[in-house]
């Protein structure tokens, strides 16, 4: 409060730079030129790394990976002409409830509607991908609007915020006003609040869980946002309730835990879909019960008895009629439940747990040949199995969508509660830059990204960014020379088997990504035999530069599809 009422005028850029540092921001991701003076002030006044990228979309993905890995808002920026590229990159953060804050330059009232070079009204494009989309027109508003941005991004179900600064490059930051650098540290990280549930609602939910003979928990991204994995596992163990997760909640329970049935829904593991469809009560925790997690509301079927715990009232009961709903932070609710459980209710679930173990065993037996395949080109399932074994205990795994999401969602197991799993919420190409952002957010943890070749092509230029900024993430490319998730779909529209012409719609030229990576200054390793992968991963993790492991895989290998 030191400067309030003291008539101390300050330049917007100084205040903005100091506020970002005050919130603990360590990196910002952008394409110039936006808020130029702020960047100069960051150098003078802070230690913030100003990561200058090859595209605004990848800058947004880096900020997103930073945010999801660290829980701290990720900051990305673009000048007016790059604003929609940035908005496009916020879509995944929006779908995933990731606290990303985007700054852009914008129109000046003095010149708007006069056909200013490069200018359109960008604000509508940010509407569908943000929780809060606002303009800063007066320099004196920088402090309160930045605080509001951090509050909105981190509170409730987190999500993106956009602030447009007046001037195509946000030249508003050059102006002066009486301003104070006031930071609300509470909003520097998710979650700022842990709303407590109503006691009667907790009791109602718990009673239903304890009464059920075949209950199952479906844990979603809300559990990871609340860092409630430990409490989740404690409740599951105490009451002997199996746990399925959404793809976004995959790291809430290690896949190796005997009560884990894996990811449920579309990019899933058979075990989870079968278990959820045999349950007599579903307990959704921190899940939006969306189409991906429920395989378009077939798993579980609508009408299956359900209870739901969520921090957002509007999520409660959206897709499944509920027998009980509990509004609150996931960890707070689980702690309340743990405080009053009746452990003796667990014994009646012995047959259910036996059935779950059998389902788990059946899955490993069925997929053993794939998981242990020595084939050349390499089978992607074997690659997942190698990652299960060799990702370090505190590793962050970052996974792209499409086949990458199917292979890893279904076939990869976390071994430790200290491991993290971040997944694309739908955008191909998200994982590689998000993995770089995750490494910036958690520099002391190993980051291993899994992407297909089509996914890697999107932002391949960022290998140079990683080298320049020494962002030593490891990227594993499942390189089959095409986007082969599309194969089944094209076979279908060609009435069975597609023509050679059909293949041109989804295949690429063969490429050696290890060589390309080396040319850009990264470590590149090409792996053609599965047995060589563990050593390659160890070498990549130990390298003092970013690494790309180019794994030559089978273009005809298709991931198992979801069972309903
Ligand atoms: C932005 C975006 N565009 C298009 C898609 C549709 N899509 C999903 S997977 C895929 C191909 C994936 O290819 P690759 O990354 O090489 O993985 P593979 O299927 O070959 O294992 C495409 C085009 C998407 N998910 N996101
Ligand atoms: Mg591919």
């Amino acid at each position: 409060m030191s400067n309030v009422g003291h008539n101390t005028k300050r330049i917007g850029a100084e205040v903005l730079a100091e506020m970002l540092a005050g919130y603990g921001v360590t990196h910002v991701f952008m394409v110039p030129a936006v808020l130029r003076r702020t960047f100069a002030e960051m150098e003078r006044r802070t230690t913030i790394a100003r990561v200058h990228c090859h595209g605004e979309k990848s800058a947004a993905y880096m900020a997103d990976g930073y945010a999801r890995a660290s829980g701290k808002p990720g900051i990305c920026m673009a000048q007016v002409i790059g604003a929609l590229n940035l908005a496009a990159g916020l879509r995944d953060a929006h779908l995933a409830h990731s606290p990303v804050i985007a700054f852009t330059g914008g129109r000046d009232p003095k010149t708007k509607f006069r056909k200013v070079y490069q200018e359109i009204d960008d604000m509508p494009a940010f509407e569908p991908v943000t929780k809060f989309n606002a303009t800063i027109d007066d320099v004196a508003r920088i402090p309160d609007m930045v605080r509001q941005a951090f509050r909105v991004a981190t509170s409730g179900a987190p999500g993106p915020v956009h602030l447009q600064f007046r001037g195509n490059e946000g030249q508003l930051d050059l102006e002066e006003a009486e301003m104070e650098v006031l930071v609300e540290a509470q909003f520097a990280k998710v979650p700022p609040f842990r709303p407590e549930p109503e006691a009667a609602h907790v009791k109602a939910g718990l009673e239903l869980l304890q009464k059920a003979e075949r209950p199952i928990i479906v844990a979603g991204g809300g559990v990871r946002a609340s860092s409630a994995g430990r409490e989740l596992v404690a409740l599951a163990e105490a009451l002997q309730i199996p746990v399925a997760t959404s793809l976004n909640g995959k790291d809430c329970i290690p896949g190796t835990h005997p009560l884990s049935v894996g990811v449920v829904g579309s990019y899933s593991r058979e075990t989870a879909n079968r278990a959820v469809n045999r349950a007599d009560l579903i307990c959704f925790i921190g899940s939006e019960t969306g189409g991906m997690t429920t395989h378009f509301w077939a798993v579980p079927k609508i009408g299956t008895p359900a209870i739901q715990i969520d921090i957002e009232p509007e999520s409660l009961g959206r897709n499944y009629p509920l027998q009980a709903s509990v509004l609150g932070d996931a960890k707070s609710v689980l702690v309340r439940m743990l405080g009053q459980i009746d452990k003796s209710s667990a014994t009646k679930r012995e047959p259910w747990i036996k059935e779950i173990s059998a389902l788990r065993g059946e899955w490993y037996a069925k997929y053993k040949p794939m998981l242990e395949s020595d084939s050349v080109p390499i089978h992607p399932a074997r690659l997942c199995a190698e990652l299960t074994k060799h990702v370090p205990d505190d590793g962050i795994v970052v996974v792209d969508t499409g086949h990458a999401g199917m292979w890893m969602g279904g076939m990869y197991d976390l071994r430790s509660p200290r491991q993290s799993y971040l997944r694309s919420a739908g955008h191909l190409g998200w994982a590689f830059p998000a993995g770089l952002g995750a490494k910036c957010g958690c520099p002391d943890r190993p980051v291993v990204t899994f992407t297909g070749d089509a996914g890697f092509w999107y932002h391949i230029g960022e290998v140079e960014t990683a080298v320049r900024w020494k962002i030593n993430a490891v990227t594993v490319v499942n390189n089959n020379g095409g986007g082969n998730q599309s194969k089944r779909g094209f076979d279908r529209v060609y009435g069975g088997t597609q023509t050679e012409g059909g293949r041109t719609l989804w295949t690429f030229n063969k490429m050696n990504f290890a060589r390309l990576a080396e040319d850009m200054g990264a470590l590149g390793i090409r792996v053609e035999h599965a047995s060589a992968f563990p050593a390659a991963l160890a070498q990549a993790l130990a390298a003092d530069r970013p690494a790309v492991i180019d794994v030559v895989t089978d273009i005809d290998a298709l991931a198992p599809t979801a069972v309903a």
Side-chain angles (χ1 to χ4, degrees):
M1 293 287 199
S2 54
N3 291 329
V4 177
H6 291 262
N7 295 326
T8 312
K9 285 209 168 174
R10 303 221 40 205
I11 294 169
E14 298 174 4
V15 170
L16 183 54
E18 289 178 15
M19 282 188 75
L20 292 177
Y23 275 100
V25 171
T26 59
H27 294 70
V28 296
F29 305 93
M30 52 85 202
V31 176
V34 55
L35 298 167
R36 284 181 204 258
R37 177 66 183 265
T38 301
F39 279 90
E41 299 302 336
M42 277 186 214
E43 183 172 322
R44 292 186 186 117
R45 294 160 193 277
T46 80
T47 55
I48 296 172
R50 300 157 301 170
V51 182
H52 154 212
C53 312
H54 289 288
E56 293 84 1
K57 178 151 60 75
S58 43
Y61 289 168
M62 287 184 206
D64 187 0
Y66 175 99
R68 292 196 216 179
S70 69
K72 301 191 299 180
I75 313 290
C76 54
M77 310 191 196
Q79 78 173 55
V80 77
I81 190 65
L84 266 54
N85 298 349
L86 201 67
L90 292 185
R91 184 177 173 135
D92 215 83
H94 176 72
L95 293 168
H97 291 292
S98 172
V100 175
I101 299 176
F103 294 162
T104 64
R107 300 173 123 179
D108 194 316
K110 289 200 187 93
T111 54
K112 67 181 178 184
F113 308 123
R114 299 184 69 184
K115 298 292 172 194
V116 180
Y117 178 55
Q118 296 179 325
E119 196 175 281
I120 61 165
D121 181 7
D122 296 314
M123 294 303 288
F126 284 89
E127 235 2 82
V129 293
T130 53
K131 288 175 75 182
F132 179 49
N133 179 27
T135 57
I136 308 183
D137 311 300
D138 184 319
V139 68
R141 298 296 307 279
I142 288 178
D144 78 278
M145 292 295 276
V146 168
R147 286 197 297 277
Q148 183 68 1
F150 276 84
R151 278 193 295 266
V152 175
T154 55
S155 300
V161 167
H162 170 230
L163 293 181
Q164 186 191 71
F165 291 72
R166 172 162 57 73
N168 65 336
E169 297 175 3
Q171 292 90 331
L172 181 74
D173 72 342
L174 297 167
E175 296 177 16
E176 277 188 335
E178 228 177 274
M179 285 180 279
E180 62 168 325
V181 175
L182 174 61
V183 166
E184 298 166 322
Q186 181 180 359
F187 302 95
K189 200 164 188 283
V190 171
F193 299 107
R194 294 194 176 279
E196 285 288 339
E198 287 186 42
H201 297 165
V202 172
K203 190 159 174 275
L206 190 58
E207 273 172 7
L208 286 163
L209 269 178
Q210 291 180 161
K211 218 160 47 189
E213 284 179 13
R214 308 159 66 80
I216 195 162
I217 292 169
V218 175
V223 177
R224 85 178 305 275
S226 170
S227 320
R230 211 171 47 181
E231 291 74 14
L232 172 78
V233 173
L235 187 85
E237 287 175 351
L239 293 180
Q240 289 296 293
I241 301 177
V243 179
T245 72
S246 70
L247 206 49
N248 199 18
K250 186 169 163 79
D251 57 6
C252 297
I253 180 169
T256 49
H257 192 289
L259 289 171
S260 163
V261 294
V263 174
V264 65
S266 298
Y267 291 180
S268 60
R269 179 176 293 187
E270 246 167 81
T271 322
N273 285 17
R274 288 196 202 287
V276 166
N277 268 349
R278 291 183 193 186
D280 62 1
L281 178 72
I282 315 294
C283 175
F284 291 106
I285 310 179
S287 164
E288 295 191 298
T289 67
M292 185 66 160
T293 300
T294 61
H295 199 41
F296 288 83
W297 309 286
V299 186
K301 290 184 182 53
I302 291 184
T304 308
I307 62 181
Q308 197 174 349
I309 299 166
D310 209 277
I311 199 167
E312 286 292 335
E314 65 182 48
S315 273
L316 295 167
R318 181 190 284 122
N319 293 318
Y320 291 89
L322 299 175
Q323 302 200 334
S325 49
V326 188
L327 180 67
D329 166 64
K331 186 184 272 199
S332 302
V333 175
L334 288 164
V335 166
R336 290 279 148 167
M337 286 186 164
L338 282 164
Q340 49 187 291
I341 44 171
D342 168 15
K343 280 195 189 181
S344 70
S345 76
T347 45
K348 68 167 165 294
R349 284 185 282 278
E350 269 168 27
W352 176 225
I353 297 302
K354 267 209 191 102
E355 199 176 324
I356 293 293
S357 314
L359 284 176
R360 281 172 53 90
E362 279 165 30
W363 185 87
Y364 285 108
K366 177 171 172 185
Y367 288 102
K368 195 168 187 267
M370 271 194 200
L371 295 165
E372 294 178 1
S373 162
D374 279 324
S375 69
V376 179
I378 295 167
H379 196 292
R382 170 74 188 269
L383 190 50
C384 298
E386 293 300 326
L387 288 167
T388 295
K389 279 187 238 161
H390 300 292
V391 167
D393 271 356
D394 59 343
I396 302 174
V397 167
V398 183
V399 182
D400 217 42
T401 192
H403 245 154
M406 292 174 82
W407 288 123
M408 288 290 280
M411 305 251 167
Y412 168 76
D413 278 328
L414 288 96
R415 299 185 322 266
S416 150
R418 291 168 60 221
Q419 291 176 326
S420 303
Y421 188 94
L422 311 177
R423 63 88 172 96
S424 163
H427 291 88
L428 194 65
W430 174 87
F432 169 55
L436 300 182
K439 186 69 186 172
C440 294
C442 300
D444 299 331
R445 294 178 64 185
V447 171
V448 178
T449 296
F450 183 101
T451 175
D453 51 322
F456 190 52
W457 276 122
Y458 267 84
H459 305 109
I460 195 167
E462 304 300 355
V463 172
E464 189 275 336
T465 306
V467 170
R468 186 162 27 92
W469 283 94
K470 301 187 177 21
I471 306 170
N472 297 344
V474 174
T475 304
V476 176
V477 185
N478 171 26
N479 183 5
N480 54 14
N484 88 323
Q485 197 193 33
S486 300
K487 182 178 184 302
R488 272 191 279 243
F490 283 118
D491 278 342
R492 209 165 38 234
V493 295
Y494 276 93
T497 306
Q498 62 192 282
T499 59
E500 274 309 302
R503 284 179 79 86
T504 63
L505 299 172
W506 57 274
T507 55
F508 303 122
N509 287 343
K510 290 217 163 26
M511 194 56 54
N512 184 326
F513 291 113
R515 216 158 51 206
L516 284 183
E518 282 285 341
D519 277 351
M520 286 188 261
L523 170 65
I525 309 172
R526 181 119 161 141
V527 172
E528 293 177 346
H529 295 268
S531 57
F533 184 77
L537 183 64
Q539 188 192 349
L541 287 166
D544 59 357
R545 51 182 172 144
V548 174
I549 307 179
D550 184 28
V551 184
V552 183
T553 57
D554 183 1
I555 195 162
D556 291 317
L558 296 175
T561 50
V563 298

